Amino acid sequence: MVYQASESRYDNMTYNRSGKSGLKLPAISLGLWHNFGGINVYENARTMVRRAFDLGITHFDLANNYGPPPGSAEETFGQLLKTDLAPYRHELIVSTKAGYYMWPGPYGEWGSKKYLVSSLDQSLKRMGLDYVDIFYHHRPDPDTPLEETMAALDLIVRQGKALYVGLSNYSAEQTKEASKILKSLGTPCLIHQPSYSMMNRWIENGLQDVLDEEGIGSIAFSPLNQGILTDRYLNGVAADSRAAGPSVFLKAEGISEETIAKVRKLNDLAAGRGQKLSQMALAWVLRGGRVTSALIGASKVSQIEDAAGAVRNLEFTKEELDLIDGILAE
């Protein structure tokens, strides 16, 4: 059966302008970091992406190395574009990145012009696209001059292979310098993608101020702290949770009783707001308008539906924010 997007897809999602650009992003974006690779069930990925778009999630975030195996998430998304989303390409924001290890030899990672241009060419081929909407440098390169990396991003836009460029995992100081170079080249930085959640607040120590000063938007990855800020861990580490699985990013031994105690208190506060903990955590990341979009991962449709529902209550009282800070400080 031919996919037809819901006619009400824009009725309930919130869209925020990214920095001082003309581009608006949905408050909730879908990342394909996990669960969309070649080892995963294609039909589940297809169902999730279609449901996300039906809920007004127009932004799909990828990277060259997402899978596993690396590259397979882009291949999956390319197939979905071909079978379902091609008629809606003009309504989609598709992003990808390069910076981490992708192929052997001296040109397969980091931030040289050779690597970035070659990687994006491969990403476009895997997805069957002429261009991506946003292309990120995925991590700073300690050896390549920042001028070369930023010149590569500028070149990619001038070649028509990306509409906008962004940075990920850059410090406040690195971001400020990169933004200065990009502005001088005529290709301003659209967005920064840092990790950010209630339990990981490093961007509040300078990076957010730089983004405000430079007119750069932000999209927070891991806003649920790898699933810890959900109801999955209220009773300890469940057998089917990410922490109990093979993930190298979250291990059961990394979730202490102290952390679970905080999660339970946050869960009670969320219930008082009429939200699930995951919804409150997403709303918290978006509070005050300093974050453009919260980037979620998902393994099933219900998680995407819950996340999209967070936009129904994005406001916090001062008392609620103080309570959250108090719980986190315990």
Side-chain angles (χ1 to χ4, degrees):
M1 189 173 181
V2 177
Y3 167 67
Q4 288 189 311
S6 170
E7 292 184 0
S8 62
R9 61 189 177 276
Y10 296 117
D11 290 356
N12 298 306
M13 180 52 64
T14 298
Y15 298 88
N16 301 316
R17 190 173 301 281
S18 184
K20 293 181 180 177
S21 76
L23 185 68
K24 290 185 175 182
L25 295 178
I28 306 297
S29 298
L30 181 62
L32 280 67
W33 183 15
H34 299 287
N35 304 311
F36 293 86
I39 67 168
N40 302 112
V41 178
Y42 174 78
E43 282 304 320
N44 186 51
R46 185 182 192 189
T47 301
M48 288 194 289
V49 167
R50 284 162 52 151
R51 182 59 177 147
F53 187 52
D54 283 343
L55 290 167
I57 296 174
T58 54
H59 179 210
F60 298 93
D61 179 84
L62 298 107
N64 58 354
N65 63 335
Y66 288 177
S72 60
E74 289 179 330
E75 290 171 350
T76 294
F77 192 70
Q79 186 63 25
L80 290 169
L81 281 166
K82 184 178 179 180
T83 58
D84 297 322
L85 295 176
Y88 306 99
R89 173 64 182 100
H90 57 291
E91 298 182 42
L92 303 178
I93 301 297
V94 180
S95 63
T96 196
K97 317 176 195 74
Y100 285 94
Y101 179 84
M102 192 60 192
W103 63 83
Y107 320 118
E109 62 180 325
W110 293 111
S112 71
K113 184 178 291 187
K114 168 66 175 174
Y115 168 64
L116 295 179
V117 173
S118 297
S119 179
L120 180 54
D121 284 347
Q122 293 175 25
S123 292
L124 293 173
K125 189 174 294 185
R126 283 191 288 266
M127 290 188 283
L129 291 174
D130 296 323
Y131 71 95
V132 291
D133 298 277
I134 306 170
F135 182 65
Y136 291 89
H137 186 221
H138 210 165
R139 61 171 173 170
D141 183 343
D143 298 318
T144 300
L146 195 58
E147 289 81 2
E148 177 177 342
T149 301
M150 295 306 107
L153 297 183
D154 174 66
L155 172 65
I156 281 164
V157 169
R158 295 182 186 281
Q159 288 177 330
K161 296 174 182 176
L163 301 183
Y164 303 93
V165 295
L167 309 171
S168 185
N169 299 306
Y170 274 56
S171 70
E173 295 76 15
Q174 291 166 329
T175 299
K176 190 165 189 174
E177 182 61 24
S179 177
K180 179 182 176 182
I181 296 168
L182 284 170
K183 282 181 179 178
S184 72
L185 294 170
T187 300
C189 181
L190 172 82
I191 197 164
H192 189 296
Q193 186 173 137
S195 60
Y196 184 48
S197 73
M198 287 181 180
M199 293 181 168
N200 175 18
R201 301 174 65 165
W202 72 275
I203 71 170
E204 296 174 9
N205 297 320
L207 179 59
Q208 283 191 316
D209 292 336
V210 168
L211 299 180
D212 288 344
E213 292 165 7
E214 296 294 319
I216 299 170
S218 62
I219 177 167
F221 75 84
S222 296
L224 302 180
N225 203 32
Q226 294 290 308
I228 293 175
L229 291 168
T230 69
D231 57 13
R232 300 277 282 165
Y233 299 98
L234 295 176
N235 299 308
V237 179
D240 63 345
S241 65
R242 181 180 294 180
S247 173
V248 298
F249 301 102
L250 183 65
K251 294 295 184 184
E253 55 267 26
I255 305 175
S256 66
E257 280 298 326
E258 181 183 49
T259 296
I260 291 174
K262 292 179 181 180
V263 168
R264 288 179 183 135
K265 291 180 180 179
L266 291 169
N267 187 65
D268 290 341
L269 180 55
R273 287 169 46 85
Q275 290 181 310
K276 291 189 171 186
L277 173 56
S278 59
Q279 293 173 324
M280 184 179 78
L282 293 171
W284 183 91
V285 163
L286 294 163
R287 76 198 186 286
R290 299 190 83 181
V291 170
T292 312
S293 183
L295 181 61
I296 66 159
S299 60
K300 53 188 175 182
V301 165
S302 61
Q303 294 168 341
I304 299 171
E305 293 171 339
D306 285 346
V311 303
R312 290 195 292 267
N313 185 9
L314 295 174
E315 301 301 320
F316 289 87
T317 65
K318 183 180 184 302
E319 180 183 14
E320 286 173 329
L321 292 174
D322 288 345
L323 283 170
I324 289 170
D325 285 342
I327 292 169
L328 296 172
E330 290 178 358

